[in-house]
């Protein structure tokens, strides 16, 4: 069985407050894009879960989210056969694009089908949150509002079709570092998430792009100015707007014109500001997985 695990970007990311238990309460507008990892899954007569991958630094043991997701379901349903998974990674790792969470979501879909467990997407989502806060969203896909720690989801009308230019600089940003250095309860400005929801409702791409905001940039940009440089590069080359996704360091730019997007993509490659440069589109399926 072959499955695609699609990446996400955050069109908006707000941290409402830091809770007493240390978790941050978020409000995020999530958008699936047509950039994906590929999973090949098959039943094996040998018990256990065996993972292979094209990236040497991605774990293939129980630390891989694919392993955790498959094991969760296989244990609950007492599956005695084994599972082999070949994971081809194309989504940048530790980049704010939910690559690992999306792989986990695809693994749950695959295990459910291969072993005929009969679970609905909703039932998979209830279980997925135990693997990671973004896993339920990766099962839902499309455009959605995520609240709480990211697990409270509301499907939204589809984001207007557009081109998405991805630029990931060759640096690693620790999510832990970002949240530890965010003084959530002292933030002066918050992205206008509610107005963004209206722009989505009205199908207004220009308005939506204008309103985009990510509070985590207040931590990452002063520390890693290349993020700002990539944003500026995209805007100077015709992006409606550009922003960091998640806790970074990936930057994305939205374009309504294909030629302009291709031109900006080429220029970004030549600039060498970003290590990974990829041009794609938003993915909308009304929340249903094909
Ligand atoms: P998010 O947007 O949810 O913050 P991310 O892009 O920051 O996700 P991932 O690419 O999902 O982060 O991976 C973060 C870490 O998780 C990696 O450093 C890696 O060691 C580990 N990991 C576990 N499973 C996977 C997987 N299937 N793919 C990539 N990384 C994985």
């Amino acid at each position: 069985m072959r499955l695609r695990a699609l990446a996400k970007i955050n069109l908006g990311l707000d941290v409402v407050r830091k809770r007493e238990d240390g978790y941050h309460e978020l409000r995020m507008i999530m958008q699936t894009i047509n950039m994906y990892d590929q999973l090949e899954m098959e039943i094996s007569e040998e018990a256990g879960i065996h993972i292979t991958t094209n990236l040497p630094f991605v774990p293939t043991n129980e630390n891989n989210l694919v392993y955790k997701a498959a094991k969760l379901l296989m244990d609950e349903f007492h599956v005695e056969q084994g599972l082999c998974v070949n994971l081809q990674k194309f989504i940048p790792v530790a980049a704010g694009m939910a690559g690992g969470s999306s792989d986990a979501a695809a693994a749950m879909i695959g295990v459910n089908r291969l072993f005929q467990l009969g679970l609905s997407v909703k039932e998979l989502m209830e279980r997925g949150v135990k693997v990671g806060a973004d896993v339920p969203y990766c099962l839902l896909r499309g455009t959605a509002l995520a609240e709480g720690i990211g697990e409270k989801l509301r499907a939204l009308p589809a984001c207007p079709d557009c081109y998405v230019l991805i630029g990931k600089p060759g640096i690693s940003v620790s999510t832990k570092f970002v949240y530890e250095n965010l003084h959530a309860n002292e933030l002066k400005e918050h992205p206008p998430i509610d107005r963004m929801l209206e722009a989505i409702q009205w199908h207004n791409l220009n308005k939506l792009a204008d309103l985009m905001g990510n509070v985590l940039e207040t931590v990452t940009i002063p520390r890693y100015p290349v993020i700002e440089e990539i944003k500026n590069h995209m805007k100077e080359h015709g992006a409606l707007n550009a922003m960091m996704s998640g806790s970074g360091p990936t930057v994305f730019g939205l374009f309504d014109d294909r030629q302009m997007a291709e031109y900006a993509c080429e220029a970004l490659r030549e600039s060498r500001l970003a290590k990974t440069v990829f041009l794609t589109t938003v993915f909308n399926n009304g929340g249903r997985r094909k």
Side-chain angles (χ1 to χ4, degrees):
M1 180 174 291
R2 268 194 170 194
L3 290 154
R4 285 178 179 181
L6 277 70
K8 64 88 181 156
I9 52 173
N10 296 98
L11 296 172
L13 194 160
D14 191 16
V15 178
V16 182
R17 66 181 182 111
K18 190 173 177 182
R19 304 193 310 209
E20 286 74 41
D21 61 9
Y23 281 102
H24 288 88
E25 208 171 289
L26 309 171
R27 283 192 94 203
M28 304 185 284
I29 300 183
M30 320 284 277
Q31 177 61 50
T32 309
I33 59 170
N34 283 306
M35 180 186 207
Y36 52 85
D37 293 339
Q38 250 171 351
L39 282 85
E40 269 178 25
M41 303 177 68
E42 60 182 19
I43 296 176
S44 122
E45 290 314 317
E46 196 188 325
I49 300 165
H50 309 276
I51 300 176
T52 49
T53 177
N54 58 328
L55 295 185
F57 54 88
V58 170
T60 52
N61 56 14
E62 65 280 1
N63 292 322
N64 196 305
L65 295 181
V66 166
Y67 187 103
K68 288 186 185 165
K71 184 163 165 46
L72 182 90
L73 292 183
M74 289 167 75
D75 282 355
E76 181 183 341
F77 289 86
H78 307 291
V79 174
E80 277 168 13
Q81 291 157 299
L83 176 72
C84 287
V85 184
N86 177 254
L87 172 62
Q88 291 288 319
K89 292 230 37 112
F90 301 103
I91 304 172
V93 175
M97 304 188 79
S101 305
S102 191
D103 295 344
M108 294 184 85
I109 296 278
V111 167
N112 189 39
R113 286 193 198 151
L114 277 176
F115 299 110
Q116 298 176 12
L117 307 183
L119 294 169
S120 64
V121 173
K122 189 166 169 278
E123 288 166 325
L124 290 176
M125 287 166 70
E126 285 160 12
R127 289 160 174 82
V129 71
K130 293 180 198 148
V131 180
D134 281 347
V135 177
Y137 167 70
C138 293
L139 284 156
L140 178 70
R141 308 205 292 197
T143 313
L145 175 69
E147 295 178 298
I149 57 163
E151 86 297 3
K152 286 186 198 151
L153 291 171
R154 168 150 59 99
L156 297 172
C159 162
D161 283 336
C162 61
Y163 298 90
V164 182
L165 177 58
I166 298 294
K168 184 197 165 274
I171 51 168
S172 293
V173 177
S174 138
T175 303
K176 195 163 167 270
F177 161 83
V178 177
Y179 280 99
E180 275 175 5
N181 286 280
L182 179 82
H183 303 292
N185 298 340
E186 292 157 29
L187 287 168
K188 297 260 173 329
E189 277 183 52
H190 290 269
I193 301 290
D194 289 322
R195 288 170 62 207
M196 291 185 75
L197 297 178
E198 283 172 16
I200 291 172
Q201 202 80 41
W202 298 330
H203 217 68
N204 187 336
L205 181 62
N206 282 290
K207 188 91 197 148
L208 179 62
D210 269 357
L211 296 171
M212 286 188 333
N214 179 350
V215 282
L216 303 182
E217 286 184 342
T218 59
V219 179
T220 51
I221 289 181
R223 179 81 170 76
Y224 305 102
V226 66
I227 293 173
E228 183 76 20
E229 286 178 57
I230 298 175
K231 284 177 58 171
N232 289 338
H233 195 279
M234 288 184 182
K235 288 189 253 183
E236 282 156 16
H237 289 79
L240 299 174
N241 203 353
M243 196 179 81
M244 184 181 81
S245 183
S247 53
T250 302
V251 174
F252 68 89
L254 299 186
F255 294 79
D256 54 4
D257 181 86
R258 185 189 179 129
Q259 264 187 334
M260 190 68 93
E262 283 171 353
Y263 159 73
C265 178
E266 210 40 57
L268 185 61
R269 277 208 181 102
E270 280 168 18
S271 77
R272 301 198 175 272
L273 288 169
K275 193 171 168 211
T276 308
V277 177
F278 188 78
L279 181 58
T280 185
T281 50
V282 291
F283 170 94
N284 283 308
N285 67 348
R288 281 183 303 281
R289 185 173 273 266
K290 289 192 183 106

